[in-house]
């Protein structure tokens, strides 16, 4: 199973991209979200369960924004 290329958050499409390595403010991260370009990035190579959990975590950020 794989992740979709996009996810809708309150009707706003966010592109899901895999990247390795991934850092946020100079620190290693499993995922991050960029609101102004509607993009969720996750680390490439994680097990699918970890990818799903990471995407859900970033979706929660989008919901609370």
């Amino acid at each position: 199973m794989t992740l979709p290329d996009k996810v809708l958050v309150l009707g706003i499409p966010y592109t899901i991209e895999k990247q390795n390595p991934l850092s946020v403010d100079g620190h290693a991260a499993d995922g991050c979200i960029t609101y102004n370009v509607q993009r969720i990035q996750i680390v490439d190579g994680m097990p699918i369960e970890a990818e799903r959990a990471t995407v859900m975590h970033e979706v929660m950020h989008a919901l609370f924004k």
Side-chain angles (χ1 to χ4, degrees):
M1 247 186 182
T2 61
L3 289 176
D5 294 334
K6 291 187 179 194
V7 62
L8 285 177
V9 181
L10 300 175
I12 301 169
Y14 280 79
T15 302
I16 299 172
E17 299 175 355
K18 294 182 182 181
Q19 182 176 321
N20 204 8
L22 182 60
S23 67
V24 175
D25 297 328
H27 300 284
D30 289 337
C32 70
I33 187 166
T34 308
Y35 303 105
N36 62 336
V37 293
Q38 294 86 36
R39 180 177 60 216
I40 293 173
Q41 295 172 290
I42 63 170
V43 169
D44 192 22
M46 292 190 292
I48 188 66
E49 296 84 4
E51 288 183 349
R52 288 179 183 163
T54 303
V55 169
M56 182 56 68
H57 175 96
E58 299 308 327
V59 166
M60 299 285 284
H61 284 293
L63 288 170
F64 294 126
K65 176 85 172 147

